[in-house]
Amino acid sequence: MKKKQQQQQHGGGGGCPDARPPAAAVAAGGGPGPGGGWRRRRPLSLLPFLSLRDYGFCMAALLLFCLGSLFYQLNGGPPHFLLDLRHYLGNSTYLDDHGPPPQKVLPFPSQVVYNRVGKCGSRTVVLLLRILSEKHGFNLVTSDIHNKTRLTKNEQMELIKNISTAEQPYLFTRHVHFLNFSRFGGDQPVYINIIRDPVNRFLSNYFFRRFGDWRGEQNHMIRTPSMRQEERYLDINVCILENYPECSNPRLFYIIPYFCGQHPRCREPGEWALERAKLNVNENFLLVGILEELEDVLLLLERFLPHYFKDVLSIYKNPEHRKLGNLTVTVKKTVPSPEAIQILYQRMRYEYEFYYYVKEQFHLLKRKFGLKSHIRKPRPRPEFFIPSPLETEEPIDDEEEDDEKWLEDIYKRNKSSLHNTAALTTEMRRQ
């Protein structure tokens, strides 16, 4: 009896052999359990370390994420339950910790307009701006239109739109009368400009139209073929004393409209245009300089607008640059008689009142920044006709020439000269 019970405990009975699993089953994980039984085989899976319950939870989470993404796309934003989930898990995200990607830092101001007055140094300044734009990386915007300073309402809107959509920071330059951006819903830019003694400006204009500058008389005759010979060689005194159109108003009323604006009354010599020009200078112009004190103008521009004009004075004083700048001197210029000068002064009294007002404001600004003003004592004649140390000419409004190509050639020549000078300096240091 005892022997029979032992046989039953070993699972055998009646001499039957023990039932054993095949070798493959053992290798797959089968075997006797803790109680002496055999464990069930786990189904094959890509994630053998997860149970079916864990696997189902992962699939449910994935389905929830897909549904959340679908709601985000359909509703134009994240669903509320995802926002609540984010609040529950914590508000810190990558953007919260690291911030958005850095944006381009714009200087202030980032919109500058130089509505340059003809015959007031603009060629010299534009040449400097071409060098500075490459050096400092601002957007120098020029115009293909050089002979239209007075614009219709539609033309004003179109130009303001083109300027406002330029990549910032930009500096726009063109011969054009003052534009009121805010009138057409745009952001008003910062204006800068330079003027000079009105009679000096007129004389430079008069002789430049006839004989040009460094390019020579023959070249300028080709550029102005419509000018008759008697007009080209018309004596300046005859033009003034006999009241030719070129030497009388409204042609002599030239500087004030650049500051007065596009209103028709801005082209009429009088108090209304003068006062409006002064008002715009005070409210819309960061700086209006005097060509006779150009170095001080550049120094103040460098202090007010360093992102545009840093190092401008050192570039301007470079001998190679000065050599190229002096090529713009008007040739065959003669001095009118004292009687003609006096008549011009009377005809241009509003221009001179504006010029002296700007000059006074400029000197006040210089004193504020510790710059000394060299004010000459008034003299009867030279006050109105002695040329500036650096003549920088521009064509007149109604016969403006296309000088962009000329400026481009000068700029390339200047850049090459500066490069050669720097290379020579480096070689001398090595030696």
Side-chain angles (χ1 to χ4, degrees):
M1 185 70 181
K2 186 176 180 180
K3 184 177 181 180
K4 185 177 181 180
Q5 289 177 354
Q6 290 178 352
Q7 289 177 353
Q8 290 177 355
Q9 290 176 359
H10 285 86
C16 295
D18 295 338
R20 296 185 178 274
V26 174
W38 298 99
R39 289 187 304 175
R40 298 177 58 186
R41 289 182 298 169
R42 182 177 295 175
L44 291 177
S45 144
L46 294 176
L47 299 175
F49 54 90
L50 293 179
S51 66
L52 289 176
R53 178 175 148 188
D54 295 338
Y55 187 77
F57 180 82
C58 290
M59 294 301 296
L62 180 61
L63 179 61
L64 184 64
F65 176 81
C66 294
L67 291 176
S69 300
L70 180 62
F71 291 153
Y72 188 94
Q73 297 288 335
L74 293 178
N75 299 328
H80 291 294
F81 75 90
L82 287 182
L83 292 176
D84 295 338
L85 179 63
R86 176 187 172 185
H87 181 73
Y88 175 76
L89 295 176
N91 289 325
S92 178
T93 64
Y94 179 85
L95 291 181
D96 294 329
D97 296 335
H98 300 84
Q103 297 180 352
K104 184 179 180 180
V105 179
L106 295 176
F108 180 81
S110 60
Q111 300 165 286
V112 181
V113 173
Y114 172 34
N115 62 323
R116 57 188 195 263
V117 180
K119 299 293 187 294
C120 293
S122 60
R123 283 193 180 182
T124 297
V125 176
V126 170
L127 183 58
L128 289 169
L129 286 172
R130 290 184 181 275
I131 299 173
L132 292 169
S133 64
E134 284 195 0
K135 182 180 179 66
H136 302 313
F138 64 86
N139 183 20
L140 179 61
V141 184
T142 58
S143 175
D144 296 330
I145 301 175
H146 313 286
N147 59 351
K148 195 173 183 61
T149 59
R150 301 183 292 268
L151 309 178
T152 65
K153 184 177 180 180
N154 289 335
E155 289 171 339
Q156 293 179 56
M157 294 174 62
E158 185 66 22
L159 180 58
I160 288 174
K161 178 182 178 182
N162 293 337
I163 297 174
S164 301
T165 56
E167 181 183 358
Q168 298 182 26
Y170 69 75
L171 191 150
F172 174 80
T173 177
R174 172 180 162 177
H175 295 291
V176 63
H177 294 168
F178 174 79
L179 294 168
N180 189 347
F181 282 60
S182 58
R183 178 189 174 193
F184 299 98
D187 295 331
Q188 189 73 5
V190 167
Y191 274 84
I192 59 173
N193 217 324
I194 301 174
I195 64 174
R196 69 187 295 188
D197 181 280
V199 168
N200 275 343
R201 193 215 66 81
F202 164 75
L203 295 178
S204 294
N205 173 55
Y206 184 88
F207 291 103
F208 179 81
R209 290 186 62 228
R210 287 158 172 79
F211 309 116
D213 47 25
W214 65 276
R215 288 165 289 185
E217 179 181 0
Q218 186 64 32
N219 189 8
H220 211 69
M221 286 182 178
I222 296 174
R223 297 178 68 90
T224 56
S226 60
M227 183 178 289
R228 297 174 299 175
Q229 291 300 308
E230 56 268 26
E231 181 183 1
R232 188 180 301 276
Y233 293 98
L234 176 64
D235 185 84
I236 182 69
N237 293 299
V238 174
C239 181
I240 296 171
L241 297 176
E242 297 187 11
N243 203 23
Y244 277 65
E246 186 177 357
C247 300
S248 59
N249 284 313
R251 292 284 288 274
L252 295 179
F253 193 70
Y254 184 86
I255 298 177
I256 288 178
Y258 277 87
F259 300 87
C260 179
Q262 298 291 335
H263 194 282
R265 293 186 65 183
C266 288
R267 302 189 290 272
E268 301 174 3
E271 291 289 339
W272 189 91
L274 172 63
E275 294 303 321
R276 181 159 177 166
K278 290 180 180 180
L279 181 65
N280 281 332
V281 166
N282 295 332
E283 293 185 352
N284 296 291
F285 283 80
L286 178 66
L287 176 67
V288 181
I290 303 298
L291 181 62
E292 292 83 357
E293 303 170 36
L294 182 57
E295 289 193 7
D296 290 339
V297 175
L298 297 178
L299 182 60
L300 288 177
L301 285 173
E302 185 173 355
R303 291 191 181 185
F304 293 160
L305 301 170
H307 290 84
Y308 299 90
F309 289 95
K310 185 179 180 181
D311 300 326
V312 64
L313 198 57
S314 60
I315 297 174
Y316 172 72
K317 288 183 176 181
N318 184 287
E320 293 295 330
H321 178 82
R322 292 296 293 268
K323 187 186 301 183
L324 294 175
N326 286 330
L327 294 176
T328 60
V329 175
T330 300
V331 299
K332 295 193 175 184
K333 183 186 294 186
T334 60
V335 177
S337 66
E339 181 184 4
I341 290 289
Q342 187 63 28
I343 291 176
L344 280 180
Y345 182 69
Q346 293 173 358
R347 292 174 182 173
M348 305 174 77
R349 61 185 181 276
Y350 294 112
E351 293 274 280
Y352 268 101
E353 186 173 344
F354 180 74
Y355 171 74
Y356 287 131
Y357 174 79
V358 170
K359 191 173 184 179
E360 181 182 2
Q361 298 298 314
F362 181 66
H363 286 166
L364 288 174
L365 198 59
K366 286 173 59 176
R367 287 196 293 271
K368 182 177 180 180
F369 284 87
L371 301 178
K372 294 182 179 180
S373 299
H374 302 285
I375 304 177
R376 299 176 181 177
K377 295 181 179 180
R379 292 174 288 182
R381 288 181 54 199
E383 176 71 19
F384 305 113
F385 69 83
I386 284 187
S388 303
L390 177 64
E391 295 289 347
T392 49
E393 314 304 342
E394 292 292 343
I396 64 170
D397 177 33
D398 56 350
E399 293 189 21
E400 192 102 27
E401 65 174 328
D402 183 357
D403 57 359
E404 289 299 320
K405 186 178 185 304
W406 180 87
L407 281 172
E408 193 72 32
D409 296 338
I410 288 291
Y411 167 68
K412 291 178 181 178
R413 190 182 309 175
N414 182 62
K415 186 176 180 181
S416 176
S417 300
L418 293 175
H419 177 74
N420 294 337
T421 302
L424 180 61
T425 304
T426 304
E427 185 65 25
M428 292 176 62
R429 289 177 179 176
R430 290 177 179 176
Q431 293 176 357

